[in-house]
Amino acid sequence: MAEQEESARHRHVDERANAYAAGRRRRALVVVLGALAVTATAVALVVVVVARDDAGGRVGEYNGALAPAVRQPDGSIAMARPGVTGPVLELYEDFQCPACLALEERQGGTLKELAAQGRAKVVYRPFQLFQQDPLMSNSRRAANAALCAPADRWVRFHDALYANQPAEGEIGFTNPELIKLGAQVGVTGPEFADCVTGQRMMEAVDRSSAQAGRAGVNSTPYLALDGRKAGDDLLGSPDALREAVAAARPDAPAPHGGNAPGNAATR
C-alpha cells in the first residue's frame, strides 16, 4: 500500500509539472496595482496572475534541514548557509496569489534544498499584489503577519500561510487565523499577536510592494536569479533551476551561447 501511495504521489507531481510546462492553466486573473507611494515616488505595477489548476499539491515539500534565515534591513528574509553570498535567488510573492502557491508547490522544496546545500542564497520578498477586496485585505494581513514573524521561524510560517491560502473571492487570513498559524509553527507570545492585530508592519508592506515595482516585477510568479527574471523553464523544472544555479556560481565554466538579455535561463 505504501509503495502504491508513493507511486501515485510521484505521478501526481509529474502531471503537475507537465501541465505547468505546457501552459495548461485553467484561468487567468489580471490585477492592476495602483500607485504605491514611497518617499513621494509613485510606482504603478500591472500584474498578470496565472492561477494554478485544481490538482492540489503539497506546499514546498522538503524534509531536510533548513539553512539559517535572517531578516534583512528592507524586511526581506535571506536564507543561506554562513559565508554564502550567491548566486542569489529572489522570490517575490503574495501569500494570497494562486500562481505563487503553484510555484511554491513546484519549487519551494528546491529553493530550500539549494540554500541548505550552500549552493545559493534565497531571498524571500513578500509584497501586496492585489488591489480589490477581499483579495487585497487578505494579502495585506498575511504580508503584515509575515513581517511580524521572527526570522528563525519565518520559513515555517511562510509555508503555513501557503498551506492555508484562502480560496479566491473569500475573506481569509484573519488576524485570529494568522495568530493561530503562528502558534502552530512555534511563533507565540504577545509581541507577535500584538503586531498582527495592531497591523504594525503595514507601512513596511507598502514599502516592499513599491520595491517590487522598482525591481521590475511585472508578473507572478516572479523569481530572479542574480537579478534576472527566471523564464518558464526555470519556474517549471526543479532540475533546470538547479542547473541554472550551478552555472551562475563564480567557479562555474562559462556557458555556451547567450541568453536573452534580462532573463535567466538554462544553458
Side-chain angles (χ1 to χ4, degrees):
M1 180 64 69
E3 292 180 356
Q4 292 176 346
E5 292 178 353
E6 183 68 12
S7 177
R9 187 183 69 78
H10 283 295
R11 286 199 304 272
H12 172 71
V13 172
D14 291 341
E15 289 169 0
R16 284 183 60 77
N18 292 336
Y20 188 97
R24 289 179 284 153
R25 303 166 176 112
R26 295 185 184 276
R27 60 199 182 281
L29 173 65
V30 179
V31 180
V32 179
L33 276 165
L36 296 170
V38 173
T39 61
T41 300
V43 181
L45 178 64
V46 178
V47 181
V48 178
V49 179
V50 181
R52 68 189 179 108
D53 60 31
D54 296 329
R58 300 184 181 183
V59 174
E61 190 172 354
Y62 174 76
N63 296 318
L66 293 173
V70 298
R71 190 175 295 282
Q72 302 190 121
D74 62 3
S76 61
I77 290 290
M79 182 171 62
R81 291 181 61 178
V84 175
T85 59
V88 178
L89 286 164
E90 293 178 279
L91 180 62
Y92 290 85
E93 57 186 353
D94 183 321
F95 297 112
Q96 176 61 74
C97 167
C100 299
L101 171 58
L103 179 63
E104 179 63 25
E105 289 175 344
R106 183 60 189 157
Q107 295 285 34
T110 308
L111 296 176
K112 294 181 180 73
E113 171 194 285
L114 289 168
Q117 294 177 350
R119 296 163 62 188
K121 175 182 178 180
V122 177
V123 179
Y124 295 95
R125 296 189 178 277
F127 72 107
Q128 176 201 333
L129 169 65
F130 298 102
Q131 275 294 97
Q132 296 85 18
D133 272 328
L135 299 174
M136 179 179 70
S137 294
N138 294 352
S139 170
R140 288 179 64 79
R141 285 191 297 270
N144 175 76
L147 287 169
C148 291
D152 62 343
R153 295 285 180 174
W154 192 89
V155 176
R156 297 303 187 193
F157 186 59
H158 161 280
D159 292 354
L161 289 173
Y162 274 127
N164 292 274
Q165 185 183 90
E168 293 177 48
E170 294 185 1
I171 296 175
F173 286 144
T174 65
N175 290 331
E177 290 171 348
L178 292 165
I179 292 170
K180 182 178 179 180
L181 289 178
Q184 291 174 356
V185 296
V187 182
T188 59
E191 184 176 350
F192 174 71
D194 290 347
C195 184
V196 171
T197 56
Q199 300 186 347
R200 295 180 180 175
M201 303 303 294
M202 282 302 186
E203 290 186 4
V205 172
D206 291 337
R207 289 195 297 270
S208 65
S209 302
Q211 194 277 333
R214 291 193 298 271
V217 178
N218 58 3
S219 63
T220 55
Y222 193 101
L223 179 68
L225 173 57
D226 285 340
R228 304 171 67 191
K229 181 180 179 181
D232 288 344
D233 56 340
L234 303 192
L235 296 179
S237 169
D239 287 341
L241 181 59
R242 294 185 187 101
E243 290 173 7
V245 167
R249 291 180 63 86
D251 55 352
H256 299 290
N259 294 330
N263 290 314
T266 57
R267 289 181 291 172

